[in-house]
Structures are given as structure tokens and as C-alpha cells.
Amino acid sequence: MKYSIIILFFLLVFNNYAQPVKVNENYYSAKDEFTNDIFNWQYIQLPYPFNITDIFFKDSLYGWASHEGNGVFRTTDSGFNWDTSKFGTNNHIGGVHFIDRYTGWTVGVGGKIRKTINGGINWKIQDYEPYAGYYNKVHFFNSDTGVVIGSKNGPYGYIIKTTNSGNNWSEIFISNQIYTELKDQYWLNSDSGWLCGSNILLKTTNGGTNFINYYTNIPPTQNGSNALLGIDFVNENTGWICGSNLEHRNIYKTTNAGLNWYFQNNPVASYEYAQVNDIKFINSDSGWAGSFVGIILFTSNGGSNWLIDLSANDEFWSLCNYKNSKIWSGGAHGKIWYTLINPPIGVISNKNQIPLEYHLFQNYPNPFNPSTTIKYDISNYAQVTFKIYDILGKEIYSSNEFKKAGRYEFEFNGSNFASGLYFYKLETGEFKQVKKMVLIK
């Protein structure tokens, strides 16, 4: 996949509530600080000790994270370094969403809505009538149409919508029942969406013109209360909700479009405070759930079995899946966690071995059938492009990401390619080299 960095400077007059401040990142992967049982999780420690409430990545380089310190972090290099923008009041920001590298929105406590058109450097006020309540999540389908969820007049579930890029908003739902604050939303498309919260589970099939409450389809709890904090679907029938209740029933699944939900037992359910804050699936089998007790769960069979993927002295408040290649999690006290998901050509890294210079090794074995290993050395933190071409010059693989100094390996599998001569190229800002390899079947 090809990525290009486009640097644009916007000289625009905005209501300027935020100026960027450079954050010196701290990058951790020491095994004695936390336990990785399945995937290799790492975290970046930011200097601001706030809970990370939401994370959103638009591509492999550009991402944003909202936090309870009333601001938004931003990265332009895959999360190795983060800038921050802070707004003028002390209320926290609950959600963030971008439609491209430049245009995005954040929402927060006190009916706060902010928009940026320069990637989060400056933010413009787009509040919709002051009121006592929370905005927890924002989602935009395109540059014009978006939905914000939360609560109004205290804990009454509340939804507003815009069709002109946030310049005007209209109320499309307010609950008539107390303690129904909406916490999360998932949209299959601009018409069909699910929204969940405290004692409420809404579905719409017409873009929010009407909502049906599916809450009574969830097995009842001892006191009738169920805090639903996260929701995710992989198709119109199969989805999950997570949260907290007295019975420790913290993850539910449906396979018939919400008509029935059943509890999925998991290790966190045995804890005294068994709250699961967010849940994300990359397909009908593989998914993650982040919990309040410092555990990230993983399943490879749709939740029939949940395993402890990561155990750390932290709280996991949010999850983000970027194109099924990387999972991000927002932690407490300024920690942002991530792990790679089955890289397409089996990337292996050894950051403990610091090379003295850049070098691209000859693949081994060569010739090969069907797999071969390609090694390369990176001597400095750099943006690294790696590509593979066939004999006609057609690009069959491409990666472009920032990497720390170390030795890296690619395991290339040629099962889906024809026999013949191939070329692989490594390129950084100060180094470029091409080598040949031969696939013989």
C-alpha cells in the first residue's frame, strides 16, 4: 500500500483554543513491566497524566487521541511522537473522529463540540445550545453529515445530527427515561447504526429518523441496570456489547441482529470490578476487549473463548482498529498502547541489536519455494519504505512506516505468485538499495 506525506500549512483565522505543544515520547516494551500472553503490546508514555478516552487513526501515520485533560493528542509518524492541543476550559474530551488527515471533530463535557480543518493544530467552536450534560462520541459519514451522542439535562440519553459539517445541529433523540446516558455508537453505513449506554440499546435503519430500543432483549440483571460502554458489529447480524453490571456479565454477543444477546464468559468477569470499557473485532472471529482492571482480552473464535492478551498496571479505556493491521488502546495516566496484528509478510524486529549502518541483505534461501526471508538493518529512527516488484515492474507489496533502529526481517510468501525474477527495494531518506530474488515452483 502506498502512503504519501502531504504537508499543508493552513493560514486560516479560527477561534484558536489550541496551540500545538511538542511531546517528547517515551517508548516502552520491557517485559518486566507488563505481561504479554499473545501479542507483543508496547506503549508510549506521554507527559500528561490523563486517561485516554478515544483514539482514531485515519491512515498508518496520522492519528488522534482525546483525553480527560481537556485536549487532543496528535501523531503524524505512526504514534512514535505526539503533539497536544488543549482547550480553554477544564472539562474533559470524550470522543474524536476525522474524515481525512485535516478535517475532524472532538466532543466533550458541557456540550463541547470542536472542529479542525488543519489536522488538529487549530480548533473552531461548533457547540449546539449550552446545556448540562455530556457529549461522549462523535461520528461523521462524510464532510457534511455527522452524529454526536451523550446525555442532556443530567443522565437522559441524547443524540444530535448535522448535515452541514457541524455549522448547525438538530436534536434527533432524547430519552424519556433517567439514567440512559449514551456511551458509544457503531454505524454499518449512514442509515444503519447501533448506539448503547446506561440501560439503553438503540438501533436505527434510517439514519436516525427513528430509533428502536433493544435493551429488553439483553438478559435482565438483578437490579435491572446494565451499563453498556462499548459496541461493535462485523455485519448486520453479528455484534458485541460490553460494560458492567452486578452479575459481572460484561460481554454480550448477538448473531441475529440484536433480537437475542447472550453472555460470553471471560477472565475479567471473575474480578470484583469486572468492567469492560471497549470492544473491537477485525472479523467474525478475532477481537479484543479492554477492561478497567488492567487486562486486554483476545478471542480467536468470536468470543466463545476469551484469553488474557495483556496484563498491566493500567486501565484500558478505549480501543481502535486500523485496517486490521494494528490495534491501539487508550490507557490511564497518559499511556497509549498498541500491537501489530499478523503483518502481511511476517515482520520480525530486533530492536536490541543496533546496527552501525543501513544494509539490505540478500534473501535466503534464494532461489526459493514458496517462502524466503529478507533482512535489513536500520541504523537510525527513520521513515522506511520497503517494496517488492515482479519482472514487469508491477508493485506486489509496499510498506511505509517509521521504524526505530534495529534489525528487521520479512518472511515473503510467494504461494500466490508465479515463478520468475522479483526485485525488492529498501529506501529511507539517506539510503536506497535494490536486490533480486528468484521464485521457482
Side-chain angles (χ1 to χ4, degrees):
M1 184 177 295
K2 298 180 180 178
Y3 300 101
S4 61
I5 300 177
I6 305 172
I7 304 175
L8 297 178
F9 294 95
F10 289 82
L11 300 178
L12 300 169
V13 178
F14 260 58
N15 287 329
N16 189 356
Y17 277 78
Q19 290 295 334
V21 179
K22 189 67 176 178
V23 174
N24 293 319
E25 57 86 11
N26 291 299
Y27 178 87
Y28 293 88
S29 59
K31 296 293 185 181
D32 57 351
E33 293 190 38
F34 47 87
T35 302
N36 288 291
D37 287 350
I38 304 172
F39 290 86
N40 181 30
W41 285 87
Q42 303 173 75
Y43 72 86
I44 298 121
Q45 176 65 62
L46 303 178
Y48 301 101
F50 306 121
N51 294 342
I52 306 300
T53 55
D54 199 13
I55 299 177
F56 185 86
F57 268 79
K58 190 58 190 174
D59 55 38
S60 64
L61 298 175
Y62 281 67
W64 298 264
S66 58
H67 59 78
E68 291 184 351
N70 189 39
V72 177
F73 293 113
R74 180 189 68 154
T75 180
T76 60
D77 63 0
S78 300
F80 286 111
N81 294 280
W82 296 78
D83 299 329
T84 186
S85 296
K86 293 194 69 177
F87 305 127
T89 57
N90 293 322
N91 295 328
H92 82 260
I93 302 298
V96 59
H97 188 91
F98 275 70
I99 59 171
D100 53 41
R101 287 184 172 183
Y102 311 107
T103 306
W105 290 260
T106 66
V107 296
V109 173
K112 185 181 301 176
I113 303 174
R114 300 290 183 268
K115 178 184 178 180
T116 180
I117 60 173
N118 57 8
I121 297 174
N122 306 100
W123 295 87
K124 177 182 178 180
I125 295 173
Q126 287 193 327
D127 296 350
Y128 171 63
E129 63 179 37
Y131 71 95
Y134 295 79
Y135 287 148
N136 290 316
K137 288 291 184 291
V138 55
H139 180 87
F140 269 74
F141 307 102
N142 50 51
S143 60
D144 294 321
T145 306
V147 175
V148 172
I149 66 167
S151 64
K152 184 178 182 179
N153 300 329
Y156 290 89
Y158 187 56
I159 309 171
I160 61 174
K161 184 176 182 178
T162 181
T163 56
N164 62 1
S165 197
N167 294 313
N168 302 101
W169 297 87
S170 59
E171 178 182 302
I172 61 173
F173 175 85
I174 184 167
S175 176
N176 58 9
Q177 296 183 355
I178 197 170
Y179 306 123
T180 52
E181 178 181 346
L182 288 161
K183 294 288 191 178
D184 199 15
Q185 57 182 323
Y186 179 84
W187 292 85
L188 292 159
N189 51 57
S190 58
D191 291 322
S192 299
W194 288 88
L195 307 92
C196 69
S198 300
N199 312 311
I200 191 169
L201 177 62
L202 301 178
K203 180 183 180 180
T204 180
T205 57
N206 53 18
T209 302
N210 304 103
F211 290 94
I212 299 175
N213 194 348
Y214 280 66
Y215 180 73
T216 56
N217 293 359
I218 303 170
T221 60
Q222 193 173 21
N223 65 350
S225 295
N226 211 329
L228 306 178
L229 305 177
I231 187 165
D232 196 34
F233 274 72
V234 293
N235 54 52
E236 62 182 11
N237 293 313
T238 305
W240 292 260
I241 50 178
C242 65
S244 177
N245 55 50
L246 287 179
E247 281 79 16
H248 293 198
R249 302 297 189 255
N250 51 9
I251 297 177
Y252 293 92
K253 180 180 181 179
T254 181
T255 56
N256 58 4
L259 295 177
N260 302 100
W261 296 85
Y262 58 92
F263 168 63
Q264 292 189 319
N265 200 9
N266 59 85
V268 174
S270 64
Y271 281 69
E272 181 178 0
Y273 198 59
Q275 179 171 306
V276 174
N277 293 315
D278 204 1
I279 193 163
K280 287 289 183 292
F281 274 74
I282 61 174
N283 52 46
S284 59
D285 294 320
S286 299
W288 288 259
S291 74
F292 180 79
V293 296
I295 288 175
I296 293 179
L297 299 169
F298 171 73
T299 179
S300 60
N301 56 11
S304 297
N305 303 100
W306 287 93
L307 305 173
I308 295 177
D309 186 5
L310 171 66
S311 179
N313 183 23
D314 206 343
E315 302 160 5
F316 298 109
W317 293 101
S318 56
L319 290 169
C320 170
N321 163 34
Y322 171 67
K323 289 191 174 180
N324 297 352
S325 63
K326 185 180 285 188
I327 289 285
W328 295 86
S329 180
H333 313 300
K335 288 187 177 72
I336 296 179
W337 296 77
Y338 73 93
T339 188
L340 296 174
I341 312 167
N342 296 331
I345 303 188
V347 180
I348 305 169
S349 64
N350 182 2
K351 298 185 182 67
N352 295 322
Q353 186 174 349
I354 308 300
L356 298 178
E357 59 184 6
Y358 292 100
H359 187 72
L360 179 62
F361 294 86
Q362 185 64 50
N363 65 300
Y364 181 84
N366 189 43
F368 65 95
N369 179 26
S371 298
T372 188
T373 298
I374 304 169
K375 295 182 181 180
Y376 62 86
D377 287 347
I378 302 298
S379 58
N380 298 296
Y381 172 76
Q383 185 176 1
V384 178
T385 300
F386 184 84
K387 296 184 177 183
I388 301 176
Y389 304 88
D390 64 16
I391 188 63
L392 299 177
K394 179 183 177 181
E395 183 182 294
I396 63 171
Y397 176 78
S398 176
S399 68
N400 186 338
E401 58 185 304
F402 284 81
K403 293 181 177 292
K404 289 182 173 290
R407 174 163 293 179
Y408 294 82
E409 297 181 10
F410 279 76
E411 183 181 344
F412 175 68
N413 190 322
S415 297
N416 296 324
F417 301 100
S419 297
L421 180 65
Y422 291 82
F423 301 89
Y424 58 97
K425 180 176 74 172
L426 180 71
E427 185 173 2
T428 71
E430 54 187 289
F431 176 85
K432 180 164 61 175
Q433 191 170 9
V434 179
K435 288 186 177 291
K436 304 174 185 178
M437 59 183 178
V438 179
L439 172 61
I440 299 178
K441 293 187 175 180

